[in-house]
Amino acid sequence: MANSPRDSPSLRCWKEHYLVNLVAWMTMMNAPQHYTLFPLALGQILREHAVPELHLTLNAGKWDYERWGYPDETGVGSGAELWAWMGDGGSSSIKERWKGMQNALAGLFCASMNGMNSQLTTSPTRAFPPAGDLPLLPTPHTYRLLHATLAAEHVCTENLTPFLKLLPCPARAGIASLLMPHKIFDADWHGLGVHVRWRSGVGVELALAVQVVFDPVRVSVEQKRDWSLRSVFDRTVLHPCPVANSSRIRVKLPSDSGSAYSITPEPSEVHGDFATYDVSAVSDELDVALRWPEETAFLYTTATPSSALSDFSVQRALKGASQTHGQLSLVIRNNCPDEIRVLYLETMPWHVEFYLHTLRVERDGQPQDYLSSNLTYTPPIPHSHPALLQTVLTLPPLSTLRLSVDAHKSFLRYTEHPPDAQRGWNLPPAVFVSLSPTNSSVTSGREGKGWDGARRVYTSVMLVDLATPDFSMPYNVIIMSCTLIALIFGSVFNLLTRKFVVVKLPMHEERTHVVDR
Amino acid sequence: MDHGAVENDVRFQKSSRLSFEQTKLRRTILASYWTVVLLALPLWWYTTSIERLSLPVSRVNSQRDKELRFPLRVELDTSAVALDTAVLVKDVETALDAVTRRAPESFGNLDLHITVAQKDVLSPDAYGVSVIQGIEEPLIQGRSLSVPIQEVSHIPQLLSSLLSPYSSHTGFGGLEHLVAKYAPRYRLAFTVLNEDAAGGQAVVGWDVQSSISRHLSFFLDRISVLHNFTIESQLRFHAPLAFEPKIVGSDGEEVHGLTQDDLKIFVNSAEWTLSSSVSNDPVLHFILFIPSASHAPLRILDADDKPTSSDAFILPQWGGIVLMNLPQNAPSRIHLSTPELDHTFSLFRAQLLTLLGVPNLPAIVALTDPSSPLTDWQLDALHRRRTIENTISSKETLESIVQLVDEIPNMPVGPDVRDDIQDALTALDKVYASASSSPMLALQYSSQASTLASRAFFNPGMLALLYFPAEHKYAVYTPLFAPVAVPLLVTLFREWKKARAGADEDKDENTVGERSTRTDQKD
């Protein structure tokens, strides 16, 4: 068994926000029952359900590509996202293993992954290619991708605690000791990621990633952008993790030459824009701090940055006030002077059904349908399977594309509504994958393939308001119909069994009264 | 008053003469309503009742009186020495009877037949005891026991401890409660727990596979007829204790001690991730605990808070823990090799055997083949013990189901529950039938019975209607049934009153007759 765990957080800053990205990764060779650094709890799940590649992200908040640029870990869709490549065939069906794996992961991470039923599961292979090499299978069997998103999942301490337990050095030593729940869940954006892949000659690799976006100005009393590990995390690194092969902190130095800054302590190495600290060489407490001594208060810049941090930006909305019809509308802006081709992937639960013939692509108010090509559409199966829409969009340089498609909102069965039905249904984020070779400013700094496959851009999640019944309705119906039946019964029964006589009153002889006796 | 009006009045006043105002017709209508209601009752009952199949209660109850008997044949052979075999047989029988009387629960299931060995060869299903000269201590080989002539008086004691399914009367009485419940599959989880790897020394690797094959494989193979084992192992680098060990002085140095109460709360299950949760098989944990530098050396204290020489303890039915204090001058990252783990794994082996209920050999007995330390005598005793336990537990489970179903009238009993119970009863019958012929088969059937009984007990279908209470039903029924029932009952009551009044009228017919005549005249 060979293990090579590495802690490698990097701190990046923009104008006022800091991204902290902590990654620990480890490798397991083929000794499936005996674990040293690879977490047993996760390894057994992978083994039991025969999963060579698995990606799970739990994120809270909306990633702002405009202000923060591209994240180091690609999977930043809000909520929980799970995708896995699994071999088809074998003794148990792929559906059963997918279900079993969800239940096991839900138990392991205290998340509601078990809610990812077939109504949410799709297989968009183009947007989620395997990040590793999949082991060869005997000929009749092939690999299949299963992907599901739970946009409503909330990420909190109960997810972080089991996540930290997977690390060889949880919360007490090494860089993972920085992860204090109070500070992390106070951040502008935070996400956990578990990535497992298999590589030939290496074995099973696992990466545990935490991404957090902090805003030091927001928490600073003096409105300054100075930060230190203690101010950001309320912790410092006390001991290095004794089993880590390497343990480094990389700080991206500010690139704006506006004011002077100081960084303490002296970094072990400065390479380009990055200052690197080797945690394993540090004997006592390590508290990295970056200060702007001459700055009294940080002023937010009001002007938009001259060069956009993302190649293209997407806004997605579901329009229309009615409870039966709506229109999905996307506004995609290309910020680059070059043409970009992107793969647009939309996974829709069956209760929002597209009218595909109404798909329109407009540029500057002119219909230009040729900009959308290679369209594939898997129609939804009501009550069981979601719809999957994939198309390649060509974005002309520095222009805005509007895409719209009419949708029909289904009427749900009484029992299909969630407990908080009035809140609406979460629709998973749409995914964009850039097909053009990207320029160097946005490529991931890691060698070879990224941990979680191709770089993807997630839109924000949406809420759809479906027609919601009054949930006391069945009882009202019961009471109403019972009352009607009782009334009809009573009158018919009375007519049949009562006795009617005519009584002549002596005073008014002309008049007769029907009185029942 | 014109003529027509008078005629009308007459007709209306004599309303009982009209066809639709006749008492008889009215009563027929009422009766037909009630007939429909009464006929609908069984249908209503059928559609709203819970499926409660009748359970084989009498068969379950009859199990209580049945007792599992294992007939055992022991052949005594004294041909090598000058001893009267018949007298010896008699002596041994008397002594064993006394043992059985003393401890009926541990020896009561055995029917011992002690015979004199006829031939040189031992019958395959019999135990052989031969008295020979020239050896120092009793020897065991296969199912035969050789006793030196000077130890003849110990034969009853040896036999009782070797054959008894429980080891309670052999002086290890305190160990009985440690034995884990029988399961056809176990997972063995071996874990190295570094209390704090960052604090200095840490074990970062161990030769667990070779140690397991060296110390445990033989046992696991021998016991594989009883249990299947899955083995997993892991290393953890941070495992804090939930309490602070007590500091005691011993021989001038300070040691950290675990008191007897600390041992019970030693496992910090909130912080330690010890095994995976992929299957429901019971897990036996074996933990090698490396105390941190601040807690080293860690010792187990006796009742008087004096450090003991022992460095291992068993948590009942859960697993075993071995403490390993690293030497002061050890390097900071340690890889434990197989020889270094010998002591640990021999402790793990002893703990495993205790947890699985393997009876110990009597102290004076030696083995002819020390490389195979698990004898047929022990295995057979374990078979019998597990068969008895399984039988008792399945009987108890079946009785509990019957009692539960009896106590909760809303509990549904589906065909799967009934079938499981019937199958469990059938398996139990097979246990009794095969106990004399094949202990192995008996064990298999008993395990099957126990599995089926607990599956029936935990059948999720039996919980279904607990969430649909009776109040709910009445809330739905009342709005319909109350308004319908009231007129039906009131009319019935009125008719009954009228009928009684009518009967009274019949009694004093004269008065009524006069009155009616008078009315006629008046008209």
Side-chain angles (χ1 to χ4, degrees):
Chain A
M1 202 189 311
N3 293 275
S4 60
R6 278 189 282 172
D7 279 356
S8 158
S10 64
L11 281 88
R12 243 166 63 185
C13 72
W14 301 280
K15 285 282 178 228
E16 71 274 19
H17 285 85
Y18 292 84
L19 164 72
V20 177
N21 175 33
L22 294 106
V23 188
W25 65 86
M26 38 203 134
T27 312
M28 176 175 66
M29 290 289 273
N30 301 322
Q33 290 293 69
H34 301 284
Y35 297 82
T36 50
L37 292 167
F38 202 91
L40 171 101
L42 186 65
Q44 293 284 54
I45 292 174
L46 299 174
R47 190 171 172 271
E48 174 81 14
H49 303 289
V51 186
E53 176 154 343
L54 163 87
H55 300 272
L56 166 71
T57 50
L58 293 165
N59 301 318
K62 175 183 174 292
W63 185 271
D64 193 342
Y65 289 95
E66 307 264 300
R67 287 168 67 203
W68 306 339
Y70 290 107
D72 287 356
E73 299 298 322
T74 299
V76 290
S78 306
E81 186 187 34
L82 175 70
W83 53 286
W85 281 89
M86 290 198 272
D88 211 345
S91 54
S92 54
S93 83
I94 198 161
K95 285 267 153 60
E96 286 166 25
R97 285 189 288 139
W98 170 246
K99 189 85 219 149
M101 186 183 75
Q102 282 172 353
N103 287 334
L105 289 173
L108 185 62
F109 292 105
C110 301
S112 36
M113 253 88 74
N114 47 350
M116 293 175 172
N117 49 20
S118 68
Q119 293 193 23
L120 296 171
T121 307
T122 52
S123 189
T125 43
R126 285 186 74 186
F128 297 91
D133 322 313
L134 298 170
L136 278 177
L137 284 181
T139 32
H141 305 303
T142 48
Y143 279 102
R144 273 187 62 195
L145 168 74
L146 292 168
H147 173 271
T149 315
L150 269 187
E153 182 68 22
H154 294 284
V155 185
C156 203
T157 320
E158 77 261 20
N159 308 117
L160 183 69
T161 311
F163 179 87
L164 289 179
K165 279 189 183 176
L166 299 180
L167 291 165
C169 299
R172 294 295 195 289
I175 291 158
S177 59
L178 292 175
L179 297 172
M180 188 176 123
H182 281 134
K183 284 289 183 179
I184 294 202
F185 296 120
D186 179 44
D188 289 17
W189 186 94
H190 55 86
L192 311 175
V194 178
H195 305 286
V196 179
R197 64 177 179 185
W198 184 90
R199 285 208 317 194
S200 63
V202 180
V204 181
E205 288 183 314
L206 165 71
L208 299 165
V210 181
Q211 283 191 108
V212 190
V213 176
F214 285 110
D215 184 355
V217 183
R218 176 164 64 86
V219 293
S220 158
V221 183
E222 300 107 26
Q223 297 291 302
K224 290 172 81 171
R225 56 171 163 166
D226 298 357
W227 62 265
S228 65
L229 286 186
R230 183 169 290 285
S231 75
V232 169
F233 293 107
D234 204 19
R235 296 259 178 96
T236 53
V237 181
L238 286 171
H239 312 281
C241 179
V243 287
N245 281 6
S246 80
S247 186
R248 287 176 299 149
I249 297 181
R250 296 201 307 156
V251 181
K252 189 170 186 295
L253 300 171
S255 51
D256 59 328
S257 48
S259 50
Y261 63 87
S262 74
I263 182 161
T264 53
E266 194 61 34
S268 330
E269 190 188 337
V270 181
H271 187 79
D273 269 356
F274 285 96
T276 308
Y277 292 88
D278 190 353
V279 178
S280 49
V282 172
S283 51
D284 59 337
E285 192 177 348
L286 176 69
D287 183 11
V288 179
L290 194 63
R291 292 200 168 79
W292 285 262
E294 291 163 19
E295 215 172 64
T296 47
F298 179 75
L299 293 171
Y300 287 93
T301 48
T302 45
T304 47
S306 52
S307 63
L309 284 162
S310 56
D311 290 348
F312 59 94
S313 55
V314 187
Q315 285 165 336
R316 188 176 69 142
L318 193 65
K319 294 177 178 171
S322 98
Q323 285 190 324
T324 52
H325 287 85
Q327 189 190 45
L328 182 82
S329 154
L330 278 102
V331 180
I332 310 155
R333 199 177 69 240
N334 185 355
N335 300 325
C336 288
D338 310 309
E339 188 182 86
I340 304 178
R341 291 179 71 234
V342 288
L343 174 72
Y344 163 50
L345 166 77
E346 186 79 64
T347 312
M348 258 311 144
W350 62 267
H351 34 258
V352 178
E353 226 173 323
F354 291 136
Y355 293 118
L356 210 59
H357 68 279
T358 62
L359 183 74
R360 295 275 178 276
V361 181
E362 283 179 13
R363 180 186 165 206
D364 308 327
Q366 303 296 316
Q368 300 202 326
D369 285 344
Y370 66 89
L371 292 174
S372 148
S373 56
N374 286 1
L375 185 131
T376 55
Y377 179 64
T378 316
I381 302 169
H383 309 288
S384 67
H385 286 286
L388 183 68
L389 174 70
Q390 291 181 95
T391 180
V392 175
L393 297 175
T394 310
L395 310 177
L398 295 170
S399 62
T400 304
L401 217 66
R402 289 174 194 277
L403 185 147
S404 67
V405 60
D406 288 353
H408 170 247
K409 301 180 191 174
S410 303
F411 191 76
L412 267 65
R413 287 176 191 152
Y414 176 72
T415 47
E416 279 170 343
H417 288 277
D420 54 347
Q422 312 292 344
R423 184 180 166 272
W425 286 79
N426 282 87
L427 299 181
V431 177
F432 287 83
V433 182
S434 180
L435 298 176
S436 333
T438 48
N439 48 12
S440 58
S441 68
V442 285
T443 43
S444 149
R446 215 167 291 121
E447 65 281 0
K449 288 175 175 174
W451 269 107
D452 44 359
R455 206 189 58 225
R456 301 178 298 273
V457 171
Y458 290 80
T459 66
S460 54
V461 295
M462 290 191 300
L463 266 183
V464 58
D465 184 26
L466 297 180
T468 321
D470 170 11
F471 285 97
S472 59
M473 176 186 66
Y475 298 96
N476 297 347
V477 169
I478 289 170
I479 303 293
M480 186 73 188
S481 42
C482 286
T483 313
L484 278 177
I485 291 171
L487 273 175
I488 295 165
F489 172 85
S491 28
V492 171
F493 185 75
N494 264 339
L495 282 173
L496 285 173
T497 55
R498 284 203 175 179
K499 197 171 169 185
F500 298 95
V501 292
V502 178
V503 177
K504 196 157 65 177
L505 295 177
M507 294 304 287
H508 310 282
E509 290 180 349
E510 299 302 316
R511 244 184 259 166
T512 55
H513 289 262
V514 179
V515 181
D516 94 276
R517 208 167 72 184
Chain B
M1 195 188 294
D2 64 317
H3 194 241
V6 172
E7 264 190 28
N8 270 342
D9 281 355
V10 170
R11 203 165 66 232
F12 281 125
Q13 278 176 350
K14 300 271 174 189
S15 56
S16 56
R17 284 183 206 146
L18 290 171
S19 67
F20 60 90
E21 288 283 327
Q22 276 170 6
T23 317
K24 195 180 157 199
L25 186 70
R26 199 169 60 241
R27 286 184 183 169
T28 319
I29 292 167
L30 186 61
S32 57
Y33 266 102
W34 276 103
T35 318
V36 169
V37 168
L38 292 175
L39 284 179
L41 271 179
L43 183 74
W44 171 75
W45 182 255
Y46 176 74
T47 49
T48 57
S49 62
I50 314 154
E51 186 184 27
R52 268 169 77 88
L53 300 175
S54 65
L55 294 177
V57 180
S58 59
R59 272 181 80 190
V60 171
N61 288 335
S62 69
Q63 291 289 337
R64 200 178 298 157
D65 308 324
K66 287 194 189 167
E67 204 187 346
L68 195 59
R69 308 295 305 179
F70 290 101
L72 298 179
R73 206 144 57 80
V74 178
E75 296 185 354
L76 271 178
D77 179 13
T78 56
S79 53
V81 289
L83 263 180
D84 188 349
T85 319
V87 173
L88 186 61
V89 167
K90 196 117 197 148
D91 287 352
V92 169
E93 271 180 343
T94 328
L96 281 177
D97 276 349
V99 170
T100 314
R101 269 198 301 280
R102 234 185 8 253
E105 72 284 348
S106 66
F107 213 65
N109 294 89
L110 306 181
D111 287 335
L112 268 184
H113 300 286
I114 299 170
T115 54
V116 180
Q118 297 300 327
K119 297 156 279 181
D120 289 343
V121 281
L122 195 64
S123 325
D125 56 338
Y127 297 91
V129 177
S130 49
V131 183
I132 50 173
Q133 273 175 322
I135 51 171
E136 290 299 312
E137 50 195 352
L139 279 176
I140 282 184
Q141 189 171 31
R143 284 199 172 80
S144 65
L145 170 72
S146 310
V147 184
I149 183 125
Q150 64 272 23
E151 303 271 1
V152 162
S153 58
H154 284 131
I155 287 178
Q157 197 201 331
L158 280 174
L159 275 181
S160 69
S161 54
L162 280 171
L163 293 174
S164 159
Y166 297 98
S167 51
S168 58
H169 68 293
T170 55
F172 294 96
L175 298 185
E176 266 319 295
H177 69 285
L178 303 178
V179 178
K181 196 179 179 307
Y182 178 83
R185 298 174 62 85
Y186 278 115
R187 278 192 303 142
L188 307 181
F190 295 90
T191 312
V192 171
L193 284 181
N194 289 289
E195 192 191 345
D196 188 5
Q201 299 163 334
V203 172
V204 296
W206 60 333
D207 291 336
V208 58
Q209 277 170 294
S210 57
S211 295
I212 287 172
S213 59
R214 186 157 160 179
H215 293 278
L216 293 171
S217 292
F218 174 77
F219 284 95
L220 299 182
D221 286 349
R222 289 291 306 254
I223 306 178
S224 62
V225 287
L226 284 123
H227 313 278
N228 276 328
F229 294 99
T230 322
I231 295 173
E232 59 189 33
S233 82
Q234 65 168 338
L235 279 118
R236 302 295 298 167
F237 301 96
H238 183 79
L241 289 175
F243 57 92
E244 193 59 34
K246 193 170 179 175
I247 297 173
V248 290
S250 135
D251 303 335
E253 63 167 339
E254 214 168 52
V255 298
H256 299 261
L258 301 170
T259 62
Q260 298 294 313
D261 287 338
D262 287 344
L263 298 184
K264 292 174 194 155
I265 55 160
F266 187 79
V267 175
N268 183 0
S269 33
E271 302 255 5
W272 302 356
T273 14
L274 288 178
S275 71
S276 60
S277 50
V278 287
S279 73
N280 289 327
D281 303 333
V283 186
L284 296 179
H285 297 274
F286 297 95
I287 290 173
L288 177 60
F289 188 80
I290 319 284
S292 65
S294 57
H295 286 153
L298 193 65
R299 293 269 160 73
I300 298 171
L301 303 181
D302 59 13
D304 305 323
D305 285 355
K306 294 270 177 295
T308 59
S309 59
S310 161
D311 58 354
F313 58 98
I314 290 182
L315 289 174
Q317 303 179 15
W318 187 87
I321 292 162
V322 175
L323 306 175
M324 183 188 265
N325 291 302
L326 298 173
Q328 292 284 325
N329 53 356
S332 59
R333 290 164 61 122
I334 299 161
H335 185 94
L336 294 174
S337 62
T338 316
E340 286 170 312
L341 287 169
D342 274 352
H343 175 64
T344 307
F345 270 82
S346 57
L347 288 170
F348 281 164
R349 181 180 65 197
Q351 287 171 338
L352 175 65
L353 293 184
T354 310
L355 288 164
L356 292 178
V358 178
N360 290 44
L361 281 181
I364 53 167
V365 174
L367 296 165
T368 45
D369 183 10
S371 66
S372 60
L374 199 61
T375 62
D376 286 341
W377 295 77
Q378 285 168 293
L379 263 186
D380 289 350
L382 187 59
H383 272 143
R384 289 191 285 272
R385 176 211 172 98
R386 290 305 197 177
T387 310
I388 294 169
E389 279 178 2
N390 281 340
T391 314
I392 291 173
S393 90
S394 35
K395 269 190 214 173
E396 282 171 354
T397 314
L398 289 175
E399 279 174 25
S400 312
I401 298 174
V402 168
Q403 200 187 346
L404 199 67
V405 169
D406 192 42
E407 274 174 15
I408 304 177
N410 268 345
M411 183 177 271
V413 180
D416 43 351
V417 174
R418 186 196 53 189
D419 292 351
D420 276 349
I421 291 176
Q422 279 171 348
D423 292 348
L425 286 168
T426 317
L428 271 182
D429 290 342
K430 284 183 186 163
V431 174
Y432 297 118
S434 55
S436 54
S437 56
S438 165
M440 195 81 82
L441 263 182
L443 176 73
Q444 276 167 15
Y445 285 130
S446 70
S447 154
Q448 202 183 331
S450 166
T451 315
L452 286 169
S454 59
R455 193 172 78 184
F457 190 80
F458 292 108
N459 191 302
M462 292 174 85
L463 282 174
L465 283 202
L466 292 182
Y467 303 106
F468 191 58
E471 289 84 351
H472 216 119
K473 277 188 276 189
Y474 298 136
V476 173
Y477 286 150
T478 320
L480 176 65
F481 287 173
V484 169
V486 168
L488 274 175
L489 288 172
V490 166
T491 322
L492 193 69
F493 178 67
R494 210 160 45 196
E495 281 304 316
W496 173 75
K497 241 170 67 176
K498 227 179 273 173
R500 236 181 53 172
D504 285 348
E505 273 175 32
D506 282 347
K507 273 184 196 165
D508 25 274
E509 212 176 313
N510 293 331
T511 344
V512 180
E514 271 173 33
R515 202 187 297 151
S516 62
T517 328
R518 217 174 295 145
T519 328
D520 283 346
Q521 281 170 350
K522 197 179 171 187
D523 286 328

